[in-house]
């Protein structure tokens, strides 16, 4: 197979540049409030989630990495990159407000000269990067995307349940081409005369129509409503030019991918949307002797040349089983903490942590550095961060406790996320809650299914919640 670190003949440019999207996410409130930390630095098994993405890219030989974020998060992420111990060249790029992933790429396009791999900052994946990239190297599609079957929940956590709405996708099994995609939550497809092939499932309240000519062209197409888009995309460089020229495309998932999937089977649509124009312009610049040598082609025909009968291709890499997930919702964030903790190697309880007598920490849990647990505590299916102080008779079940949290005596925390520097009083009962950074919960409070904002206080005195200035 190809080398994981293959580069173009022009040593100044890598084969791939990686763009890691570390943008705000309203679904993670209150974990990502200003008092807390950027989403990319939220801990999973006591490591920033960004660490896992950088490691995954480096293991595939992707060493030119740009982390894209906003002005509010820039300094925090820069500080982390300064202490990150990796082998790649990681830079942080602050962009203006972006409404979607394509908007972010549009601002970066002039700085990128090679093909690009786009990765969300919240991804945990056990697929070797080279497996996915080798498909792109050999087939040279315009876009290659990673889809995966959703993992069984480990119990989740927090006050909201995961939104499990998934698209309907059709993948040609012999070629791995993504030939059909239908978002049941956002169906803007134009009406057309089609002979329907119906897909019905208990969770789908509508009938999905697949064009009959598509079925004839791809008779081995597998259609599924159980695949989730990982938001990992590899794009040929000319696709960035196309995004730059089409400001109406704001999202890779919602705009660009459905357009290219439809256009690959409709040459007229390719022409109408200007896709072929960009392909021809870019391919014309690349079909030269250096390109032939790069791809090992002795006959002088570049692998990037356009097939006039089938010019546009979109591929999908499907991961079934294994560990793939995104922390794009709080319940999934909790699940990934649980899964990664279970498979982590090394010490579950840091050597500097102090556990008093009769305190139990399950093998499915993790305790961070310099954390103190008093007598008769129980920690199960949970991650406790560094420098926490936990009182006597405390039960922590299926929860994430971040750094510098103080918990009083006789407290029970079940299926919750407690952000850094929060203070929990004595005899507090928390279930299915998020407690924001620096928040204070007074003694004897019983909360269920509530998100407490960062910097606020919650007391048992008529359930009063106050904002601390």
């Amino acid at each position: 197979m190809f080398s994981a670190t293959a580069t173009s003949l022009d040593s100044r440019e890598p084969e791939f540049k990686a763009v890691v999207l570390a943008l705000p996410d309203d679904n993670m409130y209150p974990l990502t409030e200003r008092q807390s930390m950027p989403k990319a630095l939220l801990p999973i098994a006591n490591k920033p989630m960004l660490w896992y993405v950088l490691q995954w890219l480096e293991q595939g030989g992707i060493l030119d990495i740009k982390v894209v974020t906003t002005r509010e998060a820039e300094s925090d992420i820069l500080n982390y990159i300064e202490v990150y111990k990796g082998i790649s060249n990681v830079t942080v790029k602050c962009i203006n407000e972006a409404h979607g992933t394509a908007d972010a790429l549009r601002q970066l396009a002039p700085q990128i000269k090679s093909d690009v791999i786009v990765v969300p900052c919240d991804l945990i994946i056990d697929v070797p990067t080279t497996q996915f990239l080798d498909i792109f190297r050999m087939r040279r599609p315009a876009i290659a995307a990673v889809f995966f079957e959703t993992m069984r929940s480990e119990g989740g956590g927090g006050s909201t349940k995961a939104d499990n709405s998934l698209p309907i996708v059709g993948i040609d099994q012999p070629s791995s081409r993504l030939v059909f995609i239908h978002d049941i939550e956002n169906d803007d497809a134009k009406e057309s005369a089609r002979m329907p092939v119906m897909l019905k499932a208990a969770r789908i309240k509508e009938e999905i129509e697949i064009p009959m000519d598509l079925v004839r062209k791809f008779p081995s197409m597998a259609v599924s409503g159980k695949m989730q888009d990982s938001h990992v995309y590899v794009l040929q460089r000319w696709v960035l030019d196309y995004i730059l020229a089409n400001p109406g495309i704001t999202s890779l998932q919602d705009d660009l991918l459905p357009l290219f999937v439809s256009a690959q089977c409709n040459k007229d649509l390719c022409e109408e949307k200007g896709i072929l124009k960009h392909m021809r312009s870019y391919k014309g610049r690349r079909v030269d002797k250096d390109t032939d040598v790069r791809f090992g082609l002795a006959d002088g025909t570049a692998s990037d040349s356009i097939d006039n009968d089938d010019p546009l291709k979109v591929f999908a890499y499907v991961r079934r089983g294994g560990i793939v997930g995104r922390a794009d919702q709080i319940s999934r964030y909790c699940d990934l903490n649980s899964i990664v903790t279970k498979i982590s190697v090394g010490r579950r309880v840091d050597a500097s942590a102090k556990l008093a007598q009769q305190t139990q920490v399950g093998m499915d849990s993790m305790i961070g550095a310099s954390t103190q647990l008093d007598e008769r505590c129980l920690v199960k299916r949970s991650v406790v961060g560094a420098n926490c102080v936990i009182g006597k008779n405390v039960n922590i079940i299926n929860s994430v406790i971040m750094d510098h949290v103080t918990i009083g005596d006789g407290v029970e925390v079940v299926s919750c996320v407690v952000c850094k520097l929060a203070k929990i009083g004595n005899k507090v009962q928390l279930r299915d809650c998020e407690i924001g950074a620096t928040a204070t919960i007074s003694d004897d409070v019983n909360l269920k299914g509530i998100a407490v904002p960062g910097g606020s206080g919650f007391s048992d005195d008529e359930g009063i919640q106050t904002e601390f200035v």
Side-chain angles (χ1 to χ4, degrees), residues 23-38:
L23 302 174
D25 187 347
D26 294 338
N27 290 332
M28 301 300 286
Y29 171 87
L31 278 59
T32 55
E33 288 182 296
R34 184 164 296 182
Q35 299 97 323
S36 183
M37 64 186 74

Side-chain angles (χ1 to χ4, degrees), residues 30-31 33 36 400 402 405 413 416-424 428 430-441 447 450-456 458:
L31 278 59
E33 288 182 296
S36 183
V400 178
M402 297 188 194
V405 169
V413 182
C416 295
V417 180
V418 182
C419 296
K420 68 177 186 178
L421 296 169
K423 296 182 178 180
I424 312 297
V428 170
L430 301 176
R431 183 179 291 270
D432 300 328
C433 294
E434 297 97 19
I435 309 300
T438 73
T440 299
I441 308 298
L447 299 179
I450 289 178
V452 178
S456 64
F458 207 106

Side-chain angles (χ1 to χ4, degrees), residues 45-46 341 344 347-349 361-362 364-368 382-384:
N46 282 339
T341 297
S344 294
R347 299 182 66 99
R348 300 303 177 96
V349 178
V361 177
D364 52 7
S365 299
M366 185 174 290
I367 307 296
S382 297
V383 178
V384 180

Side-chain angles (χ1 to χ4, degrees), residues 332-352:
R332 291 175 180 161
Y333 168 73
C334 294
D335 279 339
L336 287 174
N337 264 281
S338 180
I339 291 168
V340 175
T341 297
K342 285 181 180 180
I343 65 173
S344 294
V345 296
R347 299 182 66 99
R348 300 303 177 96
V349 178
D350 191 88
S352 61

Side-chain angles (χ1 to χ4, degrees), residues 88-292:
S88 56
N89 174 31
V90 183
T91 57
V92 178
K93 172 65 176 177
C94 177
I95 63 171
N96 299 324
E97 182 179 358
H99 298 288
T101 51
D103 287 332
L105 279 181
R106 187 174 292 111
Q107 296 182 46
L108 294 178
Q111 306 169 28
I112 300 175
K113 307 302 180 185
S114 58
D115 296 336
V116 60
I117 176 170
V118 183
V119 188
C121 69
D122 56 13
L123 179 74
I124 300 290
I125 183 169
D126 66 353
V127 177
T129 321
T130 50
Q131 286 189 16
F132 174 50
L133 292 180
D134 280 350
I135 293 178
F136 184 85
R137 290 178 173 117
M138 291 185 294
R139 309 288 182 83
R140 297 298 294 167
I143 304 175
V146 176
F147 285 80
F148 64 95
E149 290 185 341
T150 54
M151 297 183 297
R152 182 180 63 85
S153 174
E154 294 290 314
S159 61
T160 59
K161 301 303 179 184
D163 177 8
N164 292 318
S165 58
L166 300 173
I168 307 301
V169 297
I171 299 173
D172 181 52
Q173 297 183 84
S175 66
S176 296
R177 288 181 68 171
L178 178 63
V179 296
F180 181 80
I181 188 165
H182 176 95
D183 187 348
I184 62 173
E185 295 296 320
N186 184 27
D187 180 17
D188 295 324
K190 295 180 179 179
E191 292 296 327
S192 60
R194 297 176 292 188
M195 182 176 293
V197 174
M198 302 301 182
L199 174 71
K200 300 181 180 180
R203 69 175 184 84
I204 302 173
K205 297 181 179 179
E206 60 177 307
E207 294 180 337
I208 307 302
E209 295 185 352
I210 300 177
M212 200 61 203
D213 57 352
L214 190 65
V215 177
R216 294 191 187 99
K217 184 172 182 178
F218 301 102
S220 298
M221 174 176 56
V223 181
S224 173
K226 298 180 179 180
M227 296 294 176
Q228 185 171 339
D229 186 348
S230 70
H231 288 219
V232 175
Y233 308 107
V234 183
L235 315 175
Q236 286 198 43
R237 178 57 186 80
W238 69 265
V239 179
L240 295 185
D241 292 334
Y242 185 80
I243 293 172
L244 195 61
N246 291 271
I249 296 175
T250 61
S251 167
L252 296 180
Q253 180 189 40
D254 297 333
D255 301 325
L256 185 71
L257 190 63
L259 171 61
F260 275 41
V261 168
S262 297
Q264 70 178 330
C265 298
N266 187 333
K267 193 172 181 180
D268 290 339
L269 184 60
C270 268
E271 291 280 11
E272 176 188 341
K273 296 296 184 179
I275 298 173
L276 282 179
K277 174 184 174 183
H278 280 84
M279 290 179 69
R280 291 177 183 130
S281 174
Y282 186 70
K283 307 294 185 180
R285 297 196 301 268
R286 284 180 60 90
V287 178
D288 54 25
K289 184 176 180 180
D290 286 348
T291 305
D292 298 339

